[in-house]
Structure formats: structure tokens, C-alpha cells
Amino acid sequence: MQAVEQCLKYLLKGQREVRQQCDGELSPSLVLAESLFRYQKLQDNFSTTPFKNVVVIGPTQAGKSTIVNWLAGEQVAVADALAGFTRHAQGFSQVEITAEIQESLSGFFEGWEKLEQRELSKSQSAAWSLQAIGSRHSAFDGTIIWDTPDFDSVSARTYRNVAMKMLAIADVVVFMVSKEKYADETVWQTLKTLQPLRIPLLICLNKTPDSAAQEILPELDNRLQEANLQAAVVTIPYLEDMQQASEYEESVKQATQKLLTGSRKQGIEDSVSALARKHWDEWALGANAENQQHDQWQQLIHESLEHACQHYEKNYLLGSQYEATLQKAMVRLLELLEVPGIAESLVHARKLLTWPARKLRGVFSDRQSLVKGNSENLDAEKVILSESLMQLLISLQHGAGKNMTADSAQEKQWWKNIFNAIEAQKKTITGDFETQIEQYQQAFSPEIDAAAQTLYAHLEKNPAKLNSLRAARVTTDAAAVVFALKTGGIGLNDLVLTPAMLSFVSLLTEGALGKYMQGVEKKLKQSQKQAVCAGLIHESLKQRLGKIELQMSRRGLYNVPGEMLVEAEKRLGISHESI
């Protein structure tokens, strides 16, 4: 059940985070389930648990403190007419409080401060107390009696779940309720939450005279049956003189002792499973919705990557800019068409005809400068790929912004966080992508060389055409070298405009050789599309975009991994069909 325990911790932590943002309350049943695992660890510290716990709960002014004092045999719990007077779990032990017991209970109350009863303050809700008391009643030797806060007052929202937490530790629950409140919705919500645990239950119907009890008890019994609850019931009239209390005090003690002689009707794992089956939809609702937003985000990334590929294919592979790649192949072919006597000059020309390695600067901040400036010096493929990324990031932010208009506050928060994460990481993403473009181009150079080698191998089978091209190449190389010496540099576009180069291209594109060259070009484009779309965009860029969600703020989110929910459901035997 370790997977279940971990998942419940994540769900509870997530609920706290989300509820803090909207000033809401935690799910009582989830608090109870997570606390059951804490109780299991408490029990694991002992070969035989050296004490039992009687937990007294109930709505405000039901008489909980009075019952605690009856069970303790002395005045240990302080009662007050004001609602919300008791706000902490207060234990009164009739067993020796050893260091081992102290340590185990501290583990159960992890994150809460242990204080003396007199030190408990309304301003500090995460606190508890435990004090040793006399053992005047042997029936309760080895027992810790717990007083708890109410769960129905206006102010109870800040401490309501203390009672829920304490139900996890209970061997017997004494549920205090008055005749005025026994039918209240909050009372039955609490009882129904307790039902899957099958913990022995005593209902004390307080401030109920015999005449009223005759009417209330049958109705109470019916409601208990409807809720599938078993409980012992005692009635206590309104006692103006506590001297008259001894008879009722004894009946409460006897009923409690009878329940204590048994044990918890089911183990922790069975209790959690039963509780989860009943409340899993409620617990996992927000986390599942969040994982649906994760799926929507992944779909948005996928669609944006597809659009980036389409932009690259349309504007580069199928556009006039693709001449740059073909010219690189032709330059390589020129080198293969060796002519004795000018090799040394061609080495210099080759250096001038390599792929530009200039950095793209300000692609996203000042795109117009690329258009109006020295764009002829930039690598056309790089520019188009950078444009693809720019459009992709804009598309992602647009999609996130659109989802921020959702009705759900939690959904708005998720998309707000992802929008801010895109903005924060945009500069890093563009910088990384520029590096990846250069790496791709370097890795793809052998493909261009291979295209030239394929053409040359084909030409070797046609000696006449090969000799014609070699003759044209001499003139082309001469023109290139002269131009390079005059200007101190040469560009591919300048080379293709020379008359000799035009003649060279004409020879390549004529007749059967031209058709063969078209086939080589098609194959080169396919390889380039695969390298860019599958490798550069759908692999490298997708991986980088995946980090956006990992690095976004978790404020106001559940942050429960989907696979963790699935594994917990599997361990609990929960299927969505059976919930």
C-alpha cells in the first residue's frame, strides 16, 4: 500500500496548496485516510500496542468535555459555553507515557507542536497536548481519552479536520450530540465519513429527556440503518445539578468499556480501501482535471510542432530558398570534377563556399532588421527555422491565454502558470534552438556530400557528359577564383550568377541527367525533412518544450502525477466503472 500512501500524501498536499489560494477547506475524508496511514506507522512501533484510544467528537456545545471528564474520572477537560472553545486535540492518558509512546504520537502529529494543555492557544491550530492522569477507574487502564474540537461552528473551518484526524487513531468513537442537533447535516456527514472504517461507535444523545427520547430514538435508528452504521446509543437528560449525573456517567462508562473490549473491526488497509472507494472521485477530481490540462498542453505542443514542420517544408524545402542546399551539393560536385593545374586555387574557393556560421541575432526581438539589413549574408534555412520557432512560441502562449478564460479557478491557475513559464524560458529556448540548428546542419553535411557523390557516380557512367561538365567547370572555377581574388570573398548566390556557372547548371539539368538530378534532389529533400522535422523539431525541440511544464510554478496546483493516481487506483482495486 506504499503507492496508495504516497498518492494520498500528494493529494492532501495538493489540496492544501489549492485551498490556500481560494481560502477553501480540505476534504475531511482525505484527511482521515492519510491519517490512517500515520496511525499504521504508530502501531508498527509496538509489537503489542500498549494503549487504546477513546476519541470524543461532536458538534459545538454538545457536551464533549463533560463526557471526557466522566471517562477520565476527574476534571481534566475545560468546558465553556462559547462555541469553538476547544480547538486542539487534547489527550488524557491513563497509561504511563513512555518515551516510545511520546515518539510514536509525535510521528502521528508530524508537523504539529506538542504543548502543555495550559499553553494551547487559539492562534496556533497545529498543536496538541498529552498529559498523564490518575487511574481511578480500572476499566480504562491503558487508555488515552481524547477531547477534540467541534466541526460545525462558524470558526470551525480553521480547525474542523482535527476531529477527522483523530478518528484515524480511535479504537472507540464517542459521538456527542444534543437533541437539537442530532439531525443536522454536518452531524450525518461526519458519521457517514466514519462509516467505512467500522470503528466501534457510541452515540451519546445529550440534553434529551425521556419523553423526547421516545420520539428521537426510532428516527435515529432508521437513519443509522440508512447510513449502514452500527452504534450503541445512550441518552442523557439535561442535568442542572451534576450531583444527578452519576447514573448517566456510569452508563456511558459501561457502554464505552463494552466497545473497548473488542478491537477495531478491520485493519488499516481495509479501512483506507473502503474509504477510498467511497470518496475517490472527490479526492482525485482536481488532480485528474489538472492531468487533463497536462494532456491538453501536450496536444498543444504537438500541434504547434506540426505547424513548425509545415512552415519549414513550405518556405524552405518547397520554396525558392532551397537553392542554397542545391548549390552546396553543386559546389561539392565541382570539387569532385577535378582538373589538373587549378587545385590550389580551388582550395581557397572551397573555404569561401562553406556554410555560413554567423550567429542569428535578434530574430525575435528585431525581426525587421533581418529583412531590411544584411539578410543576404544569413543562412536562409536558419532564418526559416527561427521563424518557425517564433511562430510556435506565439502559438503556445496564445493557446495558454485562451484557456485562462476557463470557468474553473484551478484551470485558470494552471494555464496562467504555463503562460508565465513560456515567457520566462523563451530566451533560453531560442538560444538552445540556434545551437541545435548548427548541430543539425553540421550533421547533415555528409548527406549533401553523398548527393554530390551520387551525381558524380552517375556521370562516370556517361563519359561524354562528364567531359562536358569538366570543361564547363574549368571556366566556372576560373570565374569563381577571379571574383574571389577581386572581392576578398564569394557567396553562393554570386557564384550561380556567373555565366560559366549558368552554363554548368544547364548541362546538369538537361535531358536524362536532369531527370536523374531531380531524383537526387527529391531524395535529399526527404532526408532533410526527416532530419529537421523528426530530429530537430519533434525530438530535440519537443524535449526542450517539455521542460516548460517541469519548470513552471506549482503555486495553486495539485501537482499529482497521473501515473501515481493510476497506480493508487490499481492497488486499491478501484476502477472508474465501479466508482
Side-chain angles (χ1 to χ4, degrees), residues 111 196 330 351 532 579:
M330 282 189 286
K351 290 180 179 178
V532 171
I579 292 177

Side-chain angles (χ1 to χ4, degrees), residues 333-347:
L333 181 58
L334 284 169
E335 290 180 343
L336 294 171
L337 297 172
E338 288 293 346
V339 177
I342 61 170
E344 186 176 346
S345 298
L346 290 179
V347 170

